[in-house]
mmCIF file of all heavy atoms in Angstrom:
data_model
loop_
_atom_site.group_PDB
_atom_site.id
_atom_site.type_symbol
_atom_site.label_atom_id
_atom_site.label_comp_id
_atom_site.label_asym_id
_atom_site.label_seq_id
_atom_site.Cartn_x
_atom_site.Cartn_y
_atom_site.Cartn_z
ATOM 1 N N GLY A 59 130.422 122.717 120.634
ATOM 2 C CA GLY A 59 130.695 122.191 119.371
ATOM 3 C C GLY A 59 129.606 121.094 118.974
ATOM 4 O O GLY A 59 128.678 120.645 119.873
ATOM 5 N N ASP A 164 116.038 106.475 147.899
ATOM 6 C CA ASP A 164 114.591 106.615 147.968
ATOM 7 C C ASP A 164 114.167 107.993 147.550
ATOM 8 O O ASP A 164 113.490 108.690 148.345
ATOM 9 C CB ASP A 164 113.951 106.105 149.342
ATOM 10 C CG ASP A 164 112.615 105.999 149.306
ATOM 11 O OD1 ASP A 164 112.007 106.339 148.324
ATOM 12 O OD2 ASP A 164 112.038 105.559 150.327
ATOM 13 N N HIS A 185 127.428 107.995 140.203
ATOM 14 C CA HIS A 185 127.610 106.607 139.883
ATOM 15 C C HIS A 185 126.472 105.991 138.967
ATOM 16 O O HIS A 185 126.566 104.816 138.676
ATOM 17 C CB HIS A 185 127.811 105.806 141.137
ATOM 18 C CG HIS A 185 128.720 106.065 142.170
ATOM 19 N ND1 HIS A 185 128.851 105.531 143.360
ATOM 20 C CD2 HIS A 185 129.725 107.028 142.006
ATOM 21 C CE1 HIS A 185 130.017 105.968 144.057
ATOM 22 N NE2 HIS A 185 130.409 106.996 143.178
ATOM 23 N N THR A 251 130.647 131.131 134.898
ATOM 24 C CA THR A 251 132.087 130.647 134.808
ATOM 25 C C THR A 251 132.308 129.850 133.675
ATOM 26 O O THR A 251 131.479 129.993 132.697
ATOM 27 C CB THR A 251 132.188 129.747 136.167
ATOM 28 O OG1 THR A 251 133.597 129.359 136.267
ATOM 29 C CG2 THR A 251 131.410 128.325 136.070
ATOM 30 N N ILE A 294 131.682 87.621 154.813
ATOM 31 C CA ILE A 294 131.780 88.620 153.668
ATOM 32 C C ILE A 294 130.324 88.675 153.111
ATOM 33 O O ILE A 294 129.744 87.874 152.516
ATOM 34 C CB ILE A 294 132.550 87.773 152.496
ATOM 35 C CG1 ILE A 294 133.949 87.515 152.890
ATOM 36 C CG2 ILE A 294 132.660 88.647 151.282
ATOM 37 C CD1 ILE A 294 134.816 86.690 151.998
ATOM 38 N N ASP A 300 121.259 94.835 142.765
ATOM 39 C CA ASP A 300 120.039 94.368 141.853
ATOM 40 C C ASP A 300 118.831 94.322 142.744
ATOM 41 O O ASP A 300 118.735 94.385 143.872
ATOM 42 C CB ASP A 300 120.297 92.891 141.309
ATOM 43 C CG ASP A 300 121.243 92.772 140.243
ATOM 44 O OD1 ASP A 300 121.169 93.661 139.296
ATOM 45 O OD2 ASP A 300 122.247 92.071 140.287
ATOM 46 N N ALA A 364 125.934 104.741 159.010
ATOM 47 C CA ALA A 364 127.043 105.146 158.130
ATOM 48 C C ALA A 364 128.257 104.669 158.683
ATOM 49 O O ALA A 364 129.175 104.016 157.948
ATOM 50 C CB ALA A 364 127.040 106.586 157.939
ATOM 51 N N LEU A 374 135.937 95.854 145.486
ATOM 52 C CA LEU A 374 136.982 95.161 144.764
ATOM 53 C C LEU A 374 136.966 95.600 143.280
ATOM 54 O O LEU A 374 136.031 96.169 142.821
ATOM 55 C CB LEU A 374 136.463 93.590 144.753
ATOM 56 C CG LEU A 374 136.180 92.957 146.180
ATOM 57 C CD1 LEU A 374 135.768 91.512 145.962
ATOM 58 C CD2 LEU A 374 137.453 93.047 147.032
ATOM 59 N N LEU A 394 140.663 86.667 148.531
ATOM 60 C CA LEU A 394 139.891 87.066 149.568
ATOM 61 C C LEU A 394 139.560 85.931 150.604
ATOM 62 O O LEU A 394 139.527 86.003 151.742
ATOM 63 C CB LEU A 394 138.743 87.914 149.240
ATOM 64 C CG LEU A 394 137.883 88.684 150.340
ATOM 65 C CD1 LEU A 394 138.786 89.612 151.075
ATOM 66 C CD2 LEU A 394 136.713 89.427 149.653
#
Side-chain angles (χ1 to χ4, degrees):
D164 185 359
H185 301 176
T251 187
I294 304 178
D300 283 315
L374 304 182
L394 188 55

